Amino acid sequence: MSMRAASEAYAPTGASRLLETVAAWMLAGLWILPLLYALWTAFHPGEYSARFEVLAPVTLDNFSRAWSAAPFARYFLNTFVLVTLVLSGQLVLCTLAAYAFARSDFRGSNIAFALVLIQLMIMPDVLIVQNYKTMNMLGMLDSIPAIALPYVASAFGIFLLRQTFKTVPQELDEAARIEGAGAVQTLLRVYVPLAKPVYLAYGLVSVSYHWNNFLWPLIVTNSVESRPLTVGLQVFASTDQGIDWSIICAATLMTSAPLLIAFLLFQRQFVQSFMRVGIR
Amino acid sequence: MRTEAPATPLELVARSIRPSSTTVHAWLLLLPAMTLLALFTHWPALATFIDSFFSTPRPKRGATFVGLENYRQIVDDPIFWQALTNNLLFAIGTIPVSIGLALLMAVWVNDRIAGRTLVRMAYFTPTVLPMIAVANIWLFFYTPQYGLLAQLLSAFGGASYNWLGSKDTALLCVTIVAVWKEAGFFMIFYLAALQQIAPSLGEAAVLEGASRWYFFRRVQFPLLMPTTLFVLINAVINAFRTVDHIIVMTRGGPDNATSLLLFRIYELGFAFWDTSAAAALTMVLLTGLGAIALAQYIFLERRIHYR
């Protein structure tokens, strides 16, 4: 596969190339502007939050004030526990289910697969009212597992892994079994290693989705002990901060920083993962 | 490398018996996922459907069967129609613009312009940031007097204007945020698709003397059609499930000018605790989303078959 694109023959030259470059850069500047604006405000004293002077003093004060104004350390921990819980649950459950669908022609497999795919249409994001009732019934309200559970059995994860497992040659499966490996051993020794890139892609997308998820955690949590970063940020920004934008911007950047830094470091993997997994 | 012995009669018999144990194994593998799906997808969908025909249980009076009353209430509710109209406008505003921009971005980044890596990064960055965080930044951006927009306008002699506080501009403002957030996400699909188009096609078109616009319109764009369909379905679904920025920026206001369907469900269910009305509205939204997702599934299957 050549990386040379078909448009190469039509790659602009001379003035039109310059024009295109300038336009692309202008749009890029416009796209990154809100982020630069937040960076400026967060790193300068409050009085410079809307004044752009080259010599404005740089400070980390806003970050330390934001950090001490709300239990962000706890929120970070909660989000970390949440994404770990969701992803590990997804990986185990989706792998097992995908393996069942990919390799065995069992009774009721079509109905089962349809029951899984229903989740692509009926997303947990929309079933907030009833899922809240269920969590209430289970006595799980205001806990991190309550945020995670509706997302753990991911239809998309099952679908994606099933497609991947199906491409594994049947001979490899049989060879493992001839060597005396059981179903689970075959899965772990043959299928999982071959699906590594898909796991990585799915993992990146899942982590960034659940790091950023907001509506369901907002509904189901009600205390510092269970709130993830997104909800914590919202509670922090909407309560009596006296609308100090410098501090809100600092808090905003702080909560996005791990994901943003990871993205800047592993840009290629991120872009490829989102591309591979497609929908979130 | 591997020797494959023909199946002995005994093995053939064993294979014909195997299905029953295979079935048990398969269902055991499925059990954990199926349990959670039943609990958090199948049951809530069914319960929402049933609840939509009952009244909201109150401390003194339990839920009673009311037939289509909840749906009638929705139809009679002007806020529902406003939220639906808003949502359609929001969809009409975000879908074509973000797809168009995504295509433009992809074409630009695909050409080897100087600093394309940085440009691509700038386009894609909003995708990885939490919507709730960027909504806060945009809130500041739109703030009257202090915000960047107000500053820019006052530099040109414009008067300060409450962009999010005005019924005429609030919906447009949240639409822009959504476009900004998702255009870069859609760009990467176009970029991947553009890079798959064989270079020989471009070379041949040059030989034929086709203009660049003609080449784009007659060769590249048709070849991008599957990608466009894929992106389109995602854009439609996003338009009906993105409400994080509404909660942060406007809370549906002013005067319901930015209330979207999912936001209205949230409001009915968790601000007014009218869970039956919320259930009926959820059914309305699910019906719409279901139709879209079904189209997506059919498309996904096809895409994988033809690959």
Side-chain angles (χ1 to χ4, degrees):
Chain A
M1 240 195 345
S2 160
M3 281 304 287
R4 228 154 42 97
S7 63
E8 190 127 302
Y10 281 96
T13 51
S16 64
R17 186 185 179 85
L18 186 68
L19 194 72
E20 186 178 299
T21 308
V22 169
W25 274 95
M26 276 173 68
L27 189 66
L30 197 67
W31 235 242
I32 207 77
L33 189 67
L35 196 63
L36 294 180
Y37 186 45
L39 280 168
W40 172 274
T41 308
F43 281 102
H44 291 99
E47 59 267 32
Y48 291 95
S49 69
R51 268 166 53 210
F52 303 100
E53 286 170 24
V54 185
L55 294 174
V58 173
T59 173
L60 288 174
D61 194 39
N62 297 320
F63 287 92
S64 64
R65 280 167 68 198
W67 185 263
S68 57
F72 278 109
R74 182 67 204 227
Y75 295 156
F76 264 105
L77 177 70
N78 292 343
T79 290
F80 184 75
V81 171
L82 172 67
V83 294
T84 312
L85 201 63
V86 172
L87 184 61
S88 50
Q90 280 176 335
L91 291 183
V92 174
L93 263 64
C94 295
T95 300
L96 294 178
Y99 184 52
F101 284 125
R103 273 300 174 249
S104 37
D105 208 3
F106 60 92
R107 204 169 298 224
S109 66
N110 286 336
I111 295 170
F113 197 49
L115 282 173
V116 168
L117 289 178
I118 278 180
Q119 202 204 37
L120 290 180
M121 302 180 221
I122 304 174
M123 296 165 288
D125 298 341
V126 180
L127 294 169
I128 48 178
V129 176
Q130 187 57 42
N131 277 344
Y132 181 88
K133 283 188 194 169
T134 307
M135 288 302 173
N136 190 16
M137 234 156 59
L138 295 172
M140 289 179 70
L141 283 181
D142 200 21
S143 69
I144 295 175
I147 315 175
L149 272 178
Y151 294 95
V152 168
S154 152
F156 192 72
I158 295 172
F159 183 77
L160 194 72
L161 285 172
R162 181 193 83 136
Q163 297 302 122
T164 313
F165 288 166
K166 278 195 158 186
T167 62
V168 173
Q170 187 81 50
E171 293 81 32
L172 286 181
D173 185 305
E174 278 158 14
R177 285 180 194 253
I178 287 167
E179 283 171 22
V184 175
Q185 274 175 313
T186 312
L187 173 64
L188 290 179
R189 278 203 237 139
V190 178
Y191 289 86
V192 173
L194 285 171
K196 238 182 209 155
V198 176
Y199 279 113
L200 181 73
Y202 183 78
L204 268 182
V205 173
S206 168
V207 166
S208 40
Y209 184 86
H210 291 284
W211 189 287
N212 296 344
N213 200 13
F214 174 66
L215 186 61
W216 173 243
L218 171 74
I219 290 166
V220 87
T221 63
N222 197 25
S223 69
V224 171
E225 283 69 35
S226 60
R227 248 175 231 147
L229 269 174
T230 46
V231 181
L233 176 66
Q234 172 59 9
V235 169
F236 170 75
S238 61
T239 48
D240 47 356
Q241 286 308 308
I243 317 185
D244 188 336
W245 285 113
S246 313
I247 295 181
I248 292 181
C249 279
T252 299
L253 288 175
M254 215 157 63
T255 55
S256 327
L259 221 52
L260 191 62
I261 291 168
F263 166 60
L264 294 179
L265 289 178
F266 306 106
Q267 223 200 112
R268 217 181 162 72
Q269 281 90 335
F270 261 86
V271 172
Q272 278 172 353
S273 299
F274 274 83
M275 214 145 76
R276 194 190 285 268
V277 176
I279 55 173
R280 284 171 279 188
Chain B
M1 289 193 286
R2 220 171 285 116
T3 50
E4 280 180 52
T8 63
L10 192 66
E11 275 172 345
L12 285 175
V13 172
R15 265 181 220 170
S16 70
I17 305 172
R18 220 164 98 198
S20 62
S21 80
T22 319
T23 301
V24 173
H25 275 149
W27 278 100
L28 278 177
L29 289 170
L30 283 178
L31 191 66
M34 275 301 175
T35 310
L36 286 186
L37 277 170
L39 205 53
F40 298 109
T41 299
H42 305 142
W43 160 247
L46 192 67
T48 304
F49 180 68
I50 295 169
D51 277 359
S52 72
F53 298 109
F54 285 84
S55 65
T56 302
R58 300 288 180 200
K60 285 189 179 163
R61 232 179 97 224
T64 52
F65 182 78
V66 292
L68 290 171
E69 177 59 27
N70 290 316
Y71 291 94
R72 209 180 57 83
Q73 212 180 312
I74 287 180
V75 175
D76 289 342
D77 180 10
I79 300 174
F80 162 72
W81 292 106
Q82 168 131 38
L84 182 66
T85 316
N86 288 341
N87 218 149
L88 290 176
L89 286 173
F90 180 70
I92 293 168
T94 50
I95 297 164
V97 178
S98 57
I99 293 180
L101 274 172
L103 187 53
L104 188 68
M105 287 169 171
V107 168
W108 279 347
V109 172
N110 193 37
D111 286 341
R112 312 202 144 179
I113 59 163
R116 55 185 285 212
T117 315
L118 272 178
V119 171
R120 188 185 66 186
M121 189 191 80
Y123 294 157
F124 189 71
T125 301
T127 298
V128 287
L129 298 174
M131 182 54 129
I132 151 96
V134 298
N136 269 304
I137 298 173
W138 278 89
L139 188 62
F140 184 25
F141 195 85
Y142 285 130
T143 303
Q145 286 163 4
Y146 303 105
L148 186 61
L149 195 59
Q151 301 251 335
L152 281 174
L153 287 175
S154 74
F156 291 103
S160 180
Y161 188 75
N162 193 351
W163 299 96
L164 288 170
S166 159
K167 275 168 83 173
D168 301 325
T169 49
L171 189 59
L172 181 67
C173 287
V174 297
T175 305
I176 291 171
V177 176
V179 169
W180 175 80
K181 184 84 165 72
E182 69 182 3
F185 177 57
F186 296 150
M187 168 195 74
I188 57 172
F189 299 103
Y190 277 122
L191 194 55
L194 279 173
Q195 287 175 349
Q196 303 245 312
I197 298 176
S200 55
L201 284 177
E203 284 152 20
V206 167
L207 285 180
E208 301 268 330
S211 72
R212 190 187 182 192
W213 173 239
Y214 186 85
F215 174 66
F216 175 78
R217 200 163 48 88
R218 301 301 295 267
V219 180
Q220 282 180 312
F221 191 71
L223 285 172
L224 292 175
M225 242 9 234
T227 311
T228 304
L229 187 58
F230 174 76
V231 165
L232 180 69
I233 291 162
N234 274 287
V236 175
I237 291 177
N238 280 350
F240 288 95
R241 72 163 180 192
T242 316
V243 292
D244 296 3
H245 62 316
I246 304 289
I247 292 174
V248 175
M249 295 172 75
T250 62
R251 302 214 126 249
D255 200 12
N256 298 309
T258 54
S259 184
L260 304 181
L261 288 175
L262 185 54
F263 180 80
R264 182 70 184 148
I265 292 173
Y266 165 70
E267 200 176 40
L268 284 173
F270 298 99
F272 306 143
W273 295 99
D274 189 349
T275 50
S276 294
L281 192 52
T282 305
M283 287 316 297
V284 174
L285 183 58
L286 278 181
T287 311
L289 279 175
I292 299 160
L294 192 67
Q296 175 184 33
Y297 170 64
I298 292 166
F299 168 67
L300 264 179
E301 274 285 79
R302 261 179 50 196
R303 192 172 70 133
I304 282 153
H305 277 308
Y306 288 123
R307 190 171 267 173

